[in-house]
Amino acid sequence: MGSLKTFFSLELRRARALVKRIYTGKRKLEELPIALQHFLIQSGFMAVGSIHQAKIEWKNAALKFSKTGQWKHIDCVQHNFLPDPIRLVYMKTKMLGIIGLEAFDSFRHGHGGMVIRMAQLFNMTDAKGPEIDKAELVTILAEVMIIPDYAVQTYIQWEEINPYTLRGTINYHGLMASGIFYFNSNFVIEKFETTDRFYTDKKGKFHPVKWTAECSGYTRHGEISFPTSFKATWNFPTGDFTYFQGQINTIIINP
């Protein structure tokens, strides 16, 4: 069956070739809500110029597979594309310290997917379908907090709830997802929440559950500012389950 890393590298090359031929247009800064205008200016992304790709280099990333489970360290590399909203993430870790485990998380051309492969031999998970498509699309929306240039793409619409709270809606050829962004008094995004993600139970069934992404520790590297800490949480009625946490080492524009 082979390594998912090989498949990830192939899809990465395809995405790079594709987005260089696409121009979807951008919104003018003054067309956006005031909070977003401040956020974009402070981020430095507006001064970078044309951005078609961003590579996010994670460190100290970890997953938890159950509320009572232990944190499992993972190696993680992520690429986001903007002209066409493509997101490719490759992760790897080891079970019992010896068995290789890989994952490929993606949104490409309107379709999302999550493949988890053990020892390059068989797939433990191969999740796909309408629920995964929507969940992966809304994840791209959430990453406005990491890659602010997403905010000016014409496939994202904005609605001001109050001066520090905005609803964003992302639309990819009729596939839509939305969520709410919360800004602090300095117009920095601290939290995103949505009901457009689905929790998969042990039987493979999907359940709509509120999902929250939080970021903190904004720092400046060169021209751009981005959060250094990030975590993702399922907000079950019975209590919260934070299943991902990690730190962003750096963001490379148009690698």
Side-chain angles (χ1 to χ4, degrees):
M1 184 169 278
S3 171
L4 282 177
K5 188 173 184 179
T6 301
F7 185 56
F8 166 76
S9 299
L10 175 62
E11 290 301 316
L12 184 57
R13 289 195 297 272
R14 287 173 173 169
R16 282 173 171 158
L18 172 68
V19 298
K20 290 179 181 179
R21 303 194 304 266
I22 294 176
Y23 178 73
T24 55
K26 292 185 179 182
R27 301 187 190 283
K28 295 180 180 179
L29 186 66
E30 57 268 24
E31 296 175 349
L32 300 173
I34 295 297
L36 263 181
Q37 292 185 34
H38 284 294
F39 179 63
L40 277 161
I41 292 170
Q42 292 175 123
S43 74
F45 275 73
M46 296 295 289
V48 172
S50 178
I51 301 175
H52 59 263
Q53 179 188 357
K55 179 183 180 182
I56 302 171
E57 295 187 342
W58 291 92
K59 64 178 182 179
N60 301 325
L63 286 170
K64 186 184 284 190
F65 296 101
S66 68
K67 284 185 178 181
T68 57
Q70 299 295 315
W71 285 104
K72 172 69 71 173
H73 170 78
I74 60 171
D75 294 325
C76 180
V77 60
Q78 175 175 342
H79 289 261
N80 289 58
F81 297 83
L82 284 76
D84 195 61
I86 297 173
R87 180 177 184 270
L88 307 173
V89 185
Y90 173 76
M91 295 166 278
K92 68 177 182 179
T93 187
K94 287 187 177 181
M95 294 182 64
L96 305 175
I98 55 173
I99 303 173
L101 197 68
E102 299 176 290
F104 179 47
D105 187 24
S106 64
F107 182 85
R108 298 163 289 162
H109 322 308
H111 297 288
M114 167 61 86
V115 179
I116 301 175
R117 184 171 295 173
M118 179 180 287
Q120 302 184 18
L121 296 175
F122 65 92
N123 292 339
M124 298 173 61
T125 299
D126 188 1
K128 54 189 173 183
E131 294 88 354
I132 298 296
D133 297 344
K134 194 169 188 177
E136 294 288 354
L137 184 64
V138 84
T139 302
I140 290 176
L141 176 64
E143 289 177 344
V144 165
M145 64 176 68
I146 300 174
I147 308 169
D149 207 62
Y150 269 128
V152 298
Q153 305 299 315
T154 54
Y155 49 74
I156 296 180
Q157 305 287 329
W158 296 99
E159 173 193 351
E160 184 177 88
I161 297 173
N162 64 51
Y164 299 100
T165 311
L166 303 179
R167 182 185 303 277
T169 300
I170 185 168
N171 185 334
Y172 184 89
H173 300 295
L175 177 64
M176 299 178 66
S178 66
I180 298 175
F181 292 85
Y182 296 90
F183 295 72
N184 66 18
S185 59
N186 294 317
F187 297 106
V188 170
I189 299 175
E190 293 186 328
K191 184 171 72 170
F192 171 85
E193 63 182 28
T194 184
T195 56
D196 283 340
R197 281 185 60 114
F198 300 84
Y199 179 80
T200 308
D201 65 21
K202 294 181 180 179
K203 296 181 179 180
K205 293 184 178 181
F206 297 111
H207 304 274
V209 176
K210 180 182 172 184
W211 182 82
T212 301
E214 297 174 87
C215 59
S216 59
Y218 279 82
T219 187
R220 184 167 293 276
H221 283 211
E223 295 179 291
I224 63 173
S225 172
F226 55 84
T228 55
S229 296
F230 185 90
K231 67 177 182 178
T233 302
W234 292 109
N235 305 121
F236 293 106
T238 54
D240 290 349
F241 168 33
T242 297
Y243 68 92
F244 174 85
Q245 63 182 15
Q247 296 175 308
I248 298 173
N249 185 47
T250 191
I251 297 177
I252 303 171
I253 304 299
N254 299 334

